[in-house]
C-alpha cells in the first residue's frame, strides 16, 4: 500500500528535520571544547616559542588539569604553499615547521589545533584552503592536528554550507579525529547546518575585550540555544578573561555566562603571565563543571525581574540547575530567582559556585546581592523527598 500524500509529507518533514538536527558524528566534543587560542591576545604575533611556553604554562598553572586541552594557533602561522601544494609555515617563527610543535604539545598531555580559512586567503591575507581542502586536511592529519578552526574571509561568491561540508568530508577522509570549528561569524545561519557539519560554529562577529561586546554576543547567541548539544555547540567566540579590558567582576560574569551557555571555553589571554585573580576565574572547577555537564543542555534566560536584571538557568545531568543572577546595570542590587521560573518545586540546596560555599536549603526562591556588571552563580539541587 502506498502512503497517502499527507503521510508522505509528514514523513519527509520529519526526515528533513532529522537531517538538519543530526549532529556530525565524529565522536568528538561530546562536551564543549576547552583550550587556548592565540588570537585574542597575540593576533599575528605567533611563534613556536609562544606555543611551547603556553603549553608549559597550561600545565604549570593547573589549567590543563582543569580541562583546557586544545592549544590552537590562530591566523598568521602560514606563509605560502610548496610545489606540492602543501601549506608552509613561517620558517622564522616556526623553525622546523608544525609537526615538531604538535609533538611538543602532545608530550605535555595536551592537544594541538590550527587555523585555516575556507576562502581563498585568510583574514590576514595568508593562503586559504579553498580548492585545497583534501591536501590541507591530509597535511593537518600528518602533522598531528587535533582541532581545526576554519574562517570565512575572502570567500566572496562561495556557499558556506557547501564549503564547510567539503572540508568536513576531507577531514573525515584524512582519517584522524579532528574537532572541526566553523568560524563564519553567524553570517549564513550556521545554527541550521552547523550541527551536521562541524563540532562548533561561531554565532557572531568577533568578541571585543569590553562588557558591551560580551553582553551583545550573549543576547545574540542565546537565540540559537536549541541548536546545540553533545558534539555540536554554539560558539560565542573565545574568552577575553585576563586581557585587561574588563574588571574581574565583569570577567567572572563573562566566564559564568559562557559556562551557562555551554560554550566552548577557549582561553584567549597570556597564560604565561597571569595574575592570580585571572587564574582563579579560569580554573574555577565548579563553573567549568557546569559548562562541561554531560547533559549538554545550554542554559536560557528564564526571568527578567527588572530592566538589566536577569536570571539564567541551565539544567544539569543530576537534576540540579546552574543559575546565574546577572546584573547588567551599573549599580549593585538584589536579584531573586523563583523556583517557578527555573522549573523547580519544593526545598532545594543552594551552593555558591564562586564562593565555593553551601548556602543551605531554600524554598520557592533564592535571592542575592549582585555587584554592578557582575553575577552570582549558584547550583540549585532539589532535596529528594523533602
Ligand atoms: C577572524 C576570526 C577571528 C580570528 C581572525 C584572524 O576575524 O573571526 O577569530 O581568527 O579572523 O585573522
Amino acid at each position: 500500500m502506498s502512503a497517502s500524500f499527507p503521510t508522505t509529507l509528514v514523513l519527509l518533514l520529519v526526515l528533513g528535520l532529522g537531517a538538519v538536527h543530526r549532529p556530525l558524528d565524529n565522536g568528538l566534543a561530546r562536551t564543549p571544547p576547552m583550550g587556548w587560542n592565540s588570537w585574542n591576545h597575540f593576533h599575528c604575533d605567533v611563534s613556536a616559542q609562544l606555543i611551547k611556553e603556553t603549553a608549559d604554562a597550561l600545565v604549570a598553572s593547573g589549567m590543563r588539569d582543569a580541562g583546557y586541552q586544545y592549544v590552537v594557533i590562530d591566523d598568521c602561522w602560514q606563509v605560502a604553499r610548496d610545489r606540492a601544494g602543501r601549506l608552509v609555515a613561517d620558517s622564522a617563527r616556526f623553525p622546523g615547521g608544525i609537526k615538531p610543535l604538535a609533538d611538543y604539545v602532545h608530550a605535555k598531555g595536551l592537544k594541538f589545533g590550527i587555523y585555516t580559512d575556507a576562502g581563498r586567503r585568510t583574514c590576514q591575507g595568508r593562503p586559504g584552503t579553498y580548492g585545497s581542502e583534501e591536501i590541507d586536511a591530509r597535511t593537518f592529519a600528518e602533522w598531528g592536528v587535533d582541532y581545526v578552526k576554519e574562517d570565512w574571509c575572502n570567500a566572496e561568491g562561495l556557499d558556506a554550507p557547501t564549503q564547510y561540508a567539503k572540508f568536513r568530508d576531507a577531514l573525515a577522509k584524512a582519517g584522524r579525529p579532528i574537532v572541526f570549528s566553523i568560524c563564519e561569524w553567524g553570517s549564513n545561519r550556521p545554527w541550521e547546518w552547523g550541527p551536521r557539519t562541524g563540532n562548533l560554529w561561531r554565532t557572531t562577529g568577533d568578541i571585543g575585550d569590553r562588557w558591551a561586546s560580551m553582553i551583545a554576543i550573549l543576547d545574540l547567541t542565546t537565540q540559537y540555544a536549541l541548536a546545540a548539544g553533545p558534539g555540536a555547540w554554539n560558539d560565542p567566540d573565545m574568552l577575553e578573561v585576563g586581557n585587561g579590558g574588563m574588571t574581574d567582576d565583569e570577567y567572572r560574569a563573562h566566564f559564568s555566562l559562557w559556562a551557562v551557555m555551554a560554550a566552548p571555553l577557549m582561553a584567549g589571554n597570556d597564560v604565561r603571565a597571569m595574575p592570580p585573580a585571572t587564574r582563579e576565574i579560569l580554573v574555577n572547577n565548579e563553573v567549568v563543571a557546569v559548562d562541561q555537564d554531560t547533559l549538554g543542555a545550554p542554559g536560557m534566560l528564564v526571568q527578567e525581574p527588572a530592566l538589566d536584571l536577569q536570571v539564567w538557568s541551565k539544567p544539569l545531568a543530576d537534576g540540579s540547575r546552574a543559575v546565574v543572577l546577572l546584573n547588567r546595570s551599573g549599580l549593585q542590587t538584589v536579584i531573586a530567582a523563583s523556583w517557578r521560573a527555573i522549573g523547580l518545586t519544593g526545598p532545594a540546596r543552594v551552593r555558591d559556585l564562586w564562593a565555593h560555599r553551601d548556602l543551605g536549603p531554600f524554598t520557592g526562591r533564592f535571592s542575592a546581592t549582585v555587584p554592578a556588571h557582575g553575577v552570582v552563580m549558584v547550583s540549585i539541587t532539589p532535596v529528594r523527598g523533602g
Side-chain angles (χ1 to χ4, degrees), residues 19-63:
V20 168
H21 290 287
R22 194 180 317 125
L24 168 65
D25 191 16
N26 63 2
L28 301 171
R30 304 308 296 168
T31 61
M34 292 177 67
W36 175 90
N37 175 299
S38 54
W39 183 255
N40 281 357
H41 191 87
F42 295 96
H43 302 279
C44 267
D45 194 11
V46 287
S47 64
Q49 196 188 335
L50 169 70
I51 300 304
K52 286 181 179 171
E53 289 174 5
T54 297
D56 295 348
L58 288 171
V59 176
S61 64
M63 282 180 69

Side-chain angles (χ1 to χ4, degrees), residues 49 58 92 125 161 218 271 280 304 308 310 314 370 379:
Q49 196 188 335
L58 288 171
L218 168 76
V271 294
E280 272 160 36
E304 211 155 15
D308 283 341
Q310 297 183 334
K314 178 186 200 286
V370 188
S379 62

Side-chain angles (χ1 to χ4, degrees), residues 71-93:
V71 181
V72 182
I73 318 178
D74 209 278
D75 208 347
C76 301
W77 63 268
Q78 63 287 68
V79 285
R81 288 188 182 275
D82 66 14
R83 286 229 191 90
R86 288 161 63 103
L87 283 165
V88 176
D90 181 332
S91 61
R93 289 171 173 267

Side-chain angles (χ1 to χ4, degrees), residues 43 155 166-167 185 196 207-208 248 278 280 285 292 314 366 368:
H43 302 279
K166 220 177 247 178
F167 202 48
W185 326 302
R196 64 183 130 91
I207 193 169
D248 286 338
T278 300
E280 272 160 36
N285 58 356
Q292 295 292 303
K314 178 186 200 286
F366 167 75

Side-chain angles (χ1 to χ4, degrees), residues 241-242 246-254 275-278 281 354 373-374:
V241 174
M246 295 189 233
T247 66
D248 286 338
D249 275 341
E250 291 176 332
Y251 283 138
R252 265 189 288 277
H254 175 19
T278 300
I281 294 172
W354 284 108
H373 283 194

